[in-house]
Amino acid sequence: MLLAAVEAMTLIPSAHAGGGGITGGATEWTQIANNGELISLVGNSAEQINNQVTQITQLAQQIQNQLKIYANMLQNTAQLPNHVWGQVESDLNRLQSIVTQGQGIAFSMGNADDVLKQRFQSFSTFKSNLPNGASFSSTYEGWSNTNRDTIAGTLKAANLTAEQFQSEESTMSSLRSMSESADGQMKALQIGHEIAAQEVAQLQKLRGLVSQQVTMMGTWYQSEQAQKDLAQARREQFFNAPTNDIRGGQTMEPRW
């Protein structure tokens, strides 16, 4: 359309030279008017083209923004390529099994209370069935083994938790490194969940260690109480023993 307007404008000199008088002037003014109209059309077309260019530019910007939003969404929803949980389950299983040794009382025993009652008799049991020399030796040996094995199991549990420090620190170091390099919300959330799981595991180990310590103390106090009950039962047997009447025997008197 712009080319046609330029060609039309070139016709002005030829129209002015070819005519004369009134007729030639009218033709000239008509062509001038036509050229003006063409110029107006060219201006309108240029404005429309500019508007279309603006619209295309805005559309391209919108598409670019949408692509950025989509890329950000993909980044925030991307999951971790690998997870670091550590050897939590195996560590807890080792902690429970290591305290169960010999005749020791373990916190993991479901019937620990019943076992204590069986091994450390009550005062009423001692009164009705006081152990003699042979049975007392066997009873005392059972008390000693129970206390020793329980103490040994507790110390081994404490040593085990100390040995696990290195592997736990390695797990936490990996989680810290992953946390520093997390580039999306989903990855950050997953790392947070794994750190929370490690904290729960630490609390479980601590609960196991404290429970075993309480079990050891309870076993020791129970054995102390059993020894006191046995000693009291023996004292009562001694003082309540019947005395033999010595009347009727030979009278002790001086003889001259």
Side-chain angles (χ1 to χ4, degrees):
M1 184 177 294
L2 183 61
L3 181 59
V6 174
E7 290 178 352
M9 292 177 64
T10 58
L11 297 176
I12 296 176
S14 60
H16 178 72
I22 299 175
T23 304
T27 302
E28 181 179 353
W29 286 109
T30 300
Q31 291 181 354
I32 292 174
N34 292 334
N35 292 334
E37 183 178 356
L38 290 175
I39 293 174
S40 177
L41 292 174
V42 171
N44 293 334
S45 299
E47 184 178 357
Q48 292 177 357
I49 292 173
N50 289 332
N51 292 336
Q52 292 178 354
V53 171
T54 302
Q55 292 177 356
I56 293 173
T57 303
Q58 293 176 350
L59 181 60
Q61 186 65 35
Q62 292 177 358
I63 294 174
Q64 187 176 4
N65 292 335
Q66 290 178 353
L67 290 175
K68 289 181 180 179
I69 294 174
Y70 182 70
N72 187 46
M73 182 182 65
L74 291 179
Q75 182 178 1
N76 288 329
T77 56
Q79 298 185 359
L80 292 173
N82 55 351
H83 298 273
V84 179
W85 298 108
Q87 300 177 353
V88 177
E89 185 176 359
S90 61
D91 289 347
L92 293 175
N93 290 334
R94 288 182 62 191
L95 181 62
Q96 291 182 355
S97 62
I98 200 171
V99 296
T100 307
Q101 60 174 7
Q103 299 184 30
I105 307 297
F107 75 95
S108 57
M109 297 172 60
N111 59 339
D113 184 60
D114 294 334
V115 174
L116 283 176
K117 290 180 180 179
Q118 293 173 1
R119 298 185 185 180
F120 303 100
Q121 293 81 9
S122 64
F123 176 68
S124 59
T125 302
F126 288 136
K127 286 185 64 175
S128 60
N129 186 19
L130 192 64
N132 54 24
S135 61
F136 172 73
S137 177
S138 176
T139 300
Y140 187 82
E141 182 181 1
W143 293 352
S144 177
N145 292 336
T146 297
N147 278 322
R148 287 179 178 275
D149 291 345
T150 302
I151 294 172
T154 304
L155 294 177
K156 285 185 177 182
N159 184 51
L160 176 63
T161 55
E163 291 178 355
Q164 294 172 351
F165 285 164
Q166 184 175 0
S167 62
E168 291 167 356
E169 176 58 27
S170 177
T171 301
M172 291 304 302
S173 177
S174 299
L175 290 175
R176 285 193 295 267
S177 177
M178 293 170 62
S179 178
E180 293 174 356
S181 61
D183 57 355
Q185 295 178 358
M186 179 63 72
K187 292 181 180 179
L189 288 174
Q190 289 180 334
I191 294 173
H193 291 165
E194 294 180 10
I195 293 176
Q198 290 297 316
E199 292 178 352
V200 172
Q202 295 299 321
L203 290 176
Q204 288 176 318
K205 294 177 182 180
L206 180 60
R207 285 179 56 191
L209 191 60
V210 172
S211 298
Q212 183 59 31
Q213 183 181 7
V214 172
T215 302
M216 177 188 68
M217 294 175 63
T219 303
W220 176 261
Y221 289 141
Q222 187 77 0
S223 66
E224 288 290 313
Q225 186 62 43
Q227 293 183 39
K228 292 179 180 179
D229 292 341
L230 177 60
Q232 180 63 23
R234 283 181 170 177
R235 282 192 293 267
E236 291 187 4
Q237 185 189 47
F238 175 79
F239 287 109
N240 294 332
T243 59
N244 295 324
D245 189 4
I246 62 174
R247 289 178 298 178
Q250 184 176 3
T251 302
M252 299 296 292
E253 57 183 10
R255 296 183 179 180
W256 304 100

